[in-house]
């Protein structure tokens, strides 16, 4: 660890030097280890002033603080970004099992990210801060249940379909219409408190795109087919992974950049892709600040980006896709680039955050308790 890595509290050094000749109590570095410097003659305890005996740091305390500083620096200095993913629950043999699809985990890890899996339980909502202690460098939200009414996903009026049709929709999409309050709470907290507040990179797929749109002030169709009469098949329960439907990709968007080969091949202003999807809901009104990237043939927005938050090399990435690139890796090279740029942004965001990292010094007063570490 170089001597420039941690400039730990000049006030600590000054305090220790001014109190007693026993210990300079400064922190320096030699190789990869911190060393406490001592100088001057030892003063017998009985000859010390009252202030000296109170203020002198015991050697064990110095060692403890040194270890804490080193540990916190090493955690903060790790370049691999932490990507938070909330699990989904599935009823198996009469009990719920939490899971995360390995497609997503593999793609995050292949690109240098570290998936941090959060259990979708109500207890996690109470313990969430403990899961975030190592930092939040990226948030990935994927497929799952419909968003609960507490977040007003359909606006503040009634859903514009009859009770009969509503019952039919609920019967057809039983697994989706079951609300998961805990998952909603955890993911919306991550979006509002970290993604939107601090610019943490975000990739929202399927449900994840819908949550981000709602968090930004947009609305959803409760059921695309029931409300619009669309004949486009957005979900096929008999052919989950193999199902495809067409979308039109707009030029000069992040999506166009990821799928540049298709633009070169088709030689047109917009490009058609055949994508895998399984959703019965969709974006009704796109939130302010979000820009569409693609549409399905029925006019439904199938992808968007946050115009002020897309610059992966500088830690900016807010993307929503209604379809599943992770299930189309053999179809287009651009599918992997969605994840590559996401992890690139998360890595850059972590590096930027580390430049202003803070380490804690337990046992000191409020003034000296936290010291900024410059890298």
């Amino acid at each position: 660890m170089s001597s420039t890595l941690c400039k730990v509290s000049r006030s600590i050094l000054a305090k220790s030097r001014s109190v007693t000749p026993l210990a300079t109590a400064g922190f320096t570095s030699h190789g990869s280890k911190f060393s406490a410097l001592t100088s001057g003659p030892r003063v017998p305890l009985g000859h010390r002033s009252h202030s000296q005996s109170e203020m002198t740091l015991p050697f064990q305390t110095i060692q403890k603080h040194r270890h804490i500083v080193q540990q916190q620096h090493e955690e903060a200095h790790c370049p691999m970004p932490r990507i938070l993913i909330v699990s989904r629950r599935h009823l198996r043999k009469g009990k719920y099992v939490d899971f995360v699809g390995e497609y997503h985990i593999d793609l995050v890890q292949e690109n240098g990210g570290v998936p941090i899996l959060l259990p979708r339980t109500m207890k996690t909502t109470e313990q969430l801060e403990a899961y975030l202690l190592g930092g939040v460098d990226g948030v990935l939200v994927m497929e799952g249940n419909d968003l609960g009414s507490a977040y007003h996903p359909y606006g503040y009026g009634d859903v514009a379909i009859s009770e009969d049709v509503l019952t039919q929709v609920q019967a057809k999409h039983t697994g989706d219409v079951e609300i998961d309050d805990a998952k909603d709470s955890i993911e919306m907290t991550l979006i509002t408190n970290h993604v939107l507040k601090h610019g943490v990179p975000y990739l929202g797929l399927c449900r994840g795109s819908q949550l981000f749109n709602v968090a930004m002030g947009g609305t959803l169709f409760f059921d695309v087919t029931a409300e619009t009469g669309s004949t486009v098949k957005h979900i096929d329960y008999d052919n989950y992974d193999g199902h495809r439907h067409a979308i039109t990709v707009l030029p000069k968007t992040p999506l166009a950049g990821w799928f540049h080969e298709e633009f070169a091949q088709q030689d047109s202003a917009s490009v058609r892709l055949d994508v895998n999807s399984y959703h019965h809901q969709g974006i009704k009104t796109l939130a302010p600040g979000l820009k569409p990237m693609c549409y399905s043939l029925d006019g439904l927005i199938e992808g968007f980006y946050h115009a002020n938050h897309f610059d992966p090399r500088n830690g900016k990435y807010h993307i929503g896709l209604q379809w599943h690139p992770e299930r189309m890796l053999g179809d287009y090279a651009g599918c992997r680039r969605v994840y590559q740029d996401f992890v690139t942004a998360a890595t850059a965001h972590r590096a930027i955050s580390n430049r202003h990292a803070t380490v804690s010094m337990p046992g000191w007063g409020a003034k000296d308790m936290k010291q900024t570490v410059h890298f």
Side-chain angles (χ1 to χ4, degrees):
M1 187 177 298
S2 69
S3 60
T4 60
L5 290 182
C6 291
K7 299 176 181 177
V8 183
S9 179
R10 292 183 179 178
S11 63
I12 297 174
L13 298 177
K15 182 181 295 183
S16 300
R17 288 172 181 148
S18 64
V19 169
T20 174
L22 169 63
T24 307
F27 294 102
T28 184
S29 59
H30 295 289
S32 60
K33 296 182 179 179
F34 283 107
S35 297
L37 300 179
T38 59
S39 64
R42 292 183 177 274
V43 180
L45 184 61
H47 292 263
R48 297 178 190 172
S49 68
H50 177 69
S51 60
Q52 286 176 330
S53 60
E54 281 188 337
M55 296 296 294
T56 301
L57 284 175
F59 180 72
Q60 293 87 347
T61 303
I62 295 173
Q63 291 285 76
K64 178 181 177 182
H65 288 175
R66 182 193 308 148
H67 173 72
I68 292 171
V69 170
Q70 183 172 353
Q71 183 181 28
Q72 291 185 348
H73 166 69
E74 288 173 352
E75 290 175 356
H77 193 59
C78 175
M80 299 177 71
R82 291 164 48 91
I83 309 298
L84 272 60
I85 306 173
V86 181
S87 67
R88 185 181 181 184
R89 68 179 181 180
H90 172 68
L91 190 62
R92 179 177 179 271
K93 296 182 180 180
K95 61 183 178 182
Y96 282 114
V97 176
D98 280 20
F99 72 96
V100 172
E102 289 191 3
Y103 280 133
H104 304 290
I105 295 173
D106 289 343
L107 285 162
V108 168
Q109 291 179 321
E110 285 172 11
N111 289 289
V114 179
I116 306 297
L117 309 184
L118 278 62
R120 44 91 9 247
T121 66
M122 290 308 298
K123 279 295 182 183
T124 302
T125 65
E126 301 170 12
Q127 302 170 347
L128 186 57
E129 290 304 314
Y131 286 94
L132 310 184
L133 286 178
V136 183
D137 308 308
V139 175
L140 172 59
V141 180
M142 307 88 68
E143 63 275 7
N145 306 52
D146 295 347
L147 181 61
S149 60
Y151 302 94
H152 305 286
Y154 319 116
Y156 287 84
D158 295 330
V159 177
I161 57 177
S162 68
E163 286 294 329
D164 290 343
V165 174
L166 181 62
T167 301
Q168 292 174 14
V169 169
Q170 291 172 333
K172 183 177 181 180
H173 305 289
T174 307
D176 291 336
V177 298
E178 178 188 7
I179 304 304
D180 188 339
D181 292 326
K183 185 173 174 66
D184 286 353
S185 176
I186 298 166
E187 291 178 336
M188 288 301 271
T189 297
L190 292 174
I191 292 172
T192 56
N193 291 355
H194 297 275
V195 175
L196 298 181
K197 188 174 181 179
H198 298 295
V200 170
Y202 180 86
L203 175 56
L205 304 174
C206 195
R207 163 189 161 95
S209 68
Q210 297 172 6
L211 263 64
F212 192 83
N213 182 55
V214 170
M216 288 280 292
T219 61
L220 307 177
F221 288 112
F222 175 75
D223 186 85
V224 173
T225 301
E227 292 185 65
T228 70
S230 171
T231 58
V232 172
K233 198 170 188 177
H234 290 280
I235 187 169
D236 186 345
Y237 287 112
D238 297 323
N239 189 22
Y240 237 48
D241 292 346
H243 173 63
R244 301 288 188 272
H245 73 76
I247 62 169
T248 300
V249 179
L250 302 180
K252 299 180 180 179
T253 62
L255 197 60
W258 293 326
F259 291 84
H260 59 83
E261 293 95 341
E262 283 63 44
F263 272 84
Q265 292 170 4
Q266 297 182 28
D267 192 24
S268 61
S270 60
V271 160
R272 169 177 166 152
L273 300 177
D274 292 317
V275 300
N276 171 251
S277 73
Y278 35 93
H279 61 96
H280 77 100
Q281 298 193 328
I283 294 173
K284 185 175 184 179
T285 58
L286 191 62
L290 302 181
K291 301 293 184 183
M293 296 194 295
C294 57
Y295 294 87
S296 53
L297 299 185
D298 54 9
L300 189 70
I301 295 173
E302 291 270 339
F304 61 78
Y305 71 108
H306 195 175
N308 295 328
H309 287 274
F310 187 80
D311 185 359
R313 292 185 180 277
N314 287 301
K316 296 182 178 182
Y317 186 106
H318 288 172
I319 293 289
L321 298 176
Q322 186 62 77
W323 41 281
H324 293 270
E326 80 282 0
R327 295 181 178 271
M328 301 164 45
L329 300 180
D331 296 13
Y332 306 101
C335 292
R336 289 187 181 276
R337 296 180 187 129
V338 174
Y339 285 83
Q340 288 170 356
D341 271 3
F342 173 51
V343 178
T344 293
T347 303
H349 184 274
R350 183 170 183 83
I352 293 168
S353 299
N354 283 351
R355 293 173 194 163
H356 306 286
T358 298
V359 296
S360 298
M361 297 292 289
W364 291 81
K367 181 179 178 181
D368 300 312
M369 206 164 171
K370 289 187 176 181
Q371 302 296 331
T372 300
V373 178
H374 303 283
F375 303 111

